[in-house]
Structure formats: C-alpha cells, structure tokens
Amino acid sequence: MLSGRRIAIIGSGTMGRALAGGLLRSGKVEASQLACTARTRQTAEKLSQALGLLCTTDNVEAAREADILVLCLKPMDVVRACEGLKAKGALGHAPLVISIAAGVSTAALKEALGEGIPVVRAMPNTPCFIGKGMTVVSKGTYASDEHAAVALDIFSTMGRTMELEEKHLDTVTALSASGPAFIYVVLESLADGGVMRGLPRAAAIELAAQAALGAAEMVLQTGRHPAALKDDVTTPAGCTIAGILAMEDGRIRSVLARGIETAARAAGELGK
Ligand SMILES: NC(=O)c1ccc[n+]([C@@H]2O[C@H](COP(=O)([O-])OP(=O)(O)OC[C@H]3O[C@@H](n4cnc5c(N)ncnc54)[C@H](OP(=O)(O)O)[C@@H]3O)[C@@H](O)[C@H]2O)c1
C-alpha cells in the first residue's frame, strides 16, 4: 500500500523520529521515499545523518514533494503549520494529511488546510519506539476508507492499530497515549511493595514489569475478560485476594478510572 508513495514527516521530535525509524525498519518504505523536517537546521542535519534520509527545515518543499504528510508537531504548532502550507500553495496536489497532534480535531485541520484535503487523525503511543505501540486512527471529512487503510499501514510498522470514530479520540489519548505513563506509575508502586519486603530494587522492577507484560499478553491472546483472568489467580483464602482487598480499600479501581476520565478531558483542551 505504501509502495512508491512519498511520505513527509513534518516535525521530527520524539514521535516523528520513532515513525521514521519504524517505517525504515519495516522495509515497507525505502529511505528515498521518506523525507523529514525539523524546526532548526542543526536538528535537521543531525537527523539526516542518524536516519540516512533527507531532513530539511523546509515544510513547504517537503509537502509539495509528498503523497502523504504526517504531522508530528506539538498541538499548538500544528494548525499554524497547516495554514502556512495552504498559504504557500503546497497542498495543490491534495496529499493525504495525517496528524498525530493530541486534541486537534479533523474539523480544525480542515479549516486550516482548506477544502478537499483528506485528513486522518492518528493517536500513537511511546511503545511505538520498540514496535510494541498502539495507534488508533480516525477519518476526517474528505478521507476515504482507503486513506484510513494507508494510515493503518503506516502505523502498523510500530505495533498494533485500530480504527475508531473521532468522537473517541480524546479518550483514546488518555487510555492509550498517556496510558504507558499510568502503567509506569503502577509498576513503580508495585515494585516499591517488593522493595519494602526486602527485594533489591532492580529485581522488584523486573518482576513487576514481567508480571504486567505477561498479564497484558494473557488478555490480548486469550481474549478473556480481565476479571475472569484475575479469578484464576485468586485462590480462596489465599494471598492474592488479600492483596486485592487491600487495594480495593484504597479505591484502586475508581482512582484509575477517574484518572483516565480526567486525562481525557484535559486532552480535549490541548488544541484550544
Ligand atoms: N509523546 C507522546 O507520547 C505522544 C503520543 C501520541 C501523540 N503525541 C503527539 O505527537 C506530537 C509530537 O509530540 P512529540 O512528543 O514528538 O513532540 P516533540 O518531541 O516536541 O516534537 C515536535 C518536533 O516538531 C519540531 N517543530 C516545531 N515546529 C516546527 C515546524 N514549524 N516545522 C517543522 N518542525 C517543527 C520541533 O522542533 P524543535 O525541537 O526544534 O522545537 C520538535 O522536534 C504532539 O502533537 C503530541 O500530541 C505524542
């Protein structure tokens, strides 16, 4: 699906670089199909050397040459950059524009890019750096199923993908894009419990991380409900149920669920 398509990554920070690396490693695109832009010349030169591909500070030229633009800019920069591309006539060939900016709607992007430009929003997360990411994509007004499929193909080079309606994207941002940070807090806390009982810190972190990895794989591979999998571990009168009840006393479920709800509301404010 990406064969022969030219892709420009506009904004080569943390996520832009991860995407460029994922695309190249996957073999789905060659370095000659890919261009990146950065704000400063120093960053552009460093990236050109590190990734072995064209990296400039010229968004307009990169957009003119590309069939697909992936906007990896901060939410507050993305609309201004789109308006600049439109004003400089860089979008006359109606490229597919994919934005990963949290909280910036396809309606706002359409307004900035102009009529007829197909837009897809995508929400990746940092485990994309190691090919274990999750990216959700949503179509905007002019985007077809084929455009969504192209976006899914691009982000599948960095992990799992899913298509959902745009109304869910702020919630997806909280659960899936901010999600790893919440899991790190949980991992650190579980490890602290181990350290309190005398485990060396490194061992406690590894045990907590592997337990989380294994539990997550059990959910994904078996398709069973987490509650059913939890019941498999909780022997009557055993130590697991004792630990769960202590966590329930601290309202662990509502604390985590409210955390997602709060982060989702904050995500909705980011692009404003
Ligand atoms: N990080 C996450 O976990 C995550 C997850 C999902 C989605 N996102 C979204 O991904 C987007 C990028 O986040 P990030 O963490 O990758 O941010 P970042 O590391 O700050 O990257 C943004 C990059 O854009 C460059 N830039 C700024 N203005 C530019 C312009 N006019 N033209 C070209 N490049 C420009 C910046 O260059 P300078 O460094 O020189 O300023 C920087 O390298 C955000 O919208 C965020 O909402 C992030």
Side-chain angles (χ1 to χ4, degrees), residues 11-15 37-39 59 72-75 100-102 123-124 126 177:
S12 305
T14 312
M15 297 308 291
T37 70
R39 196 170 51 89
N59 290 343
C72 298
L73 301 164
K74 286 284 186 202
I100 69 164
M123 190 44 58
T126 52

Side-chain angles (χ1 to χ4, degrees), residues 182-251:
F182 305 143
I183 299 296
Y184 299 138
V185 171
V186 170
L187 287 182
E188 193 187 7
S189 309
L190 294 174
D192 276 348
V195 171
M196 183 64 199
R197 290 284 305 168
L199 277 179
R201 170 69 63 185
I205 290 174
E206 184 174 340
L207 292 175
Q210 185 61 28
L213 187 64
E217 282 289 342
M218 287 286 280
V219 172
L220 292 173
Q221 285 187 28
T222 66
R224 292 177 68 208
H225 194 287
L229 290 164
K230 178 213 70 179
D231 286 353
D232 288 348
V233 193
T234 46
T235 313
C239 58
T240 309
I241 191 67
I244 287 173
L245 290 188
M247 292 176 191
E248 299 283 13
D249 287 345
R251 300 195 301 144

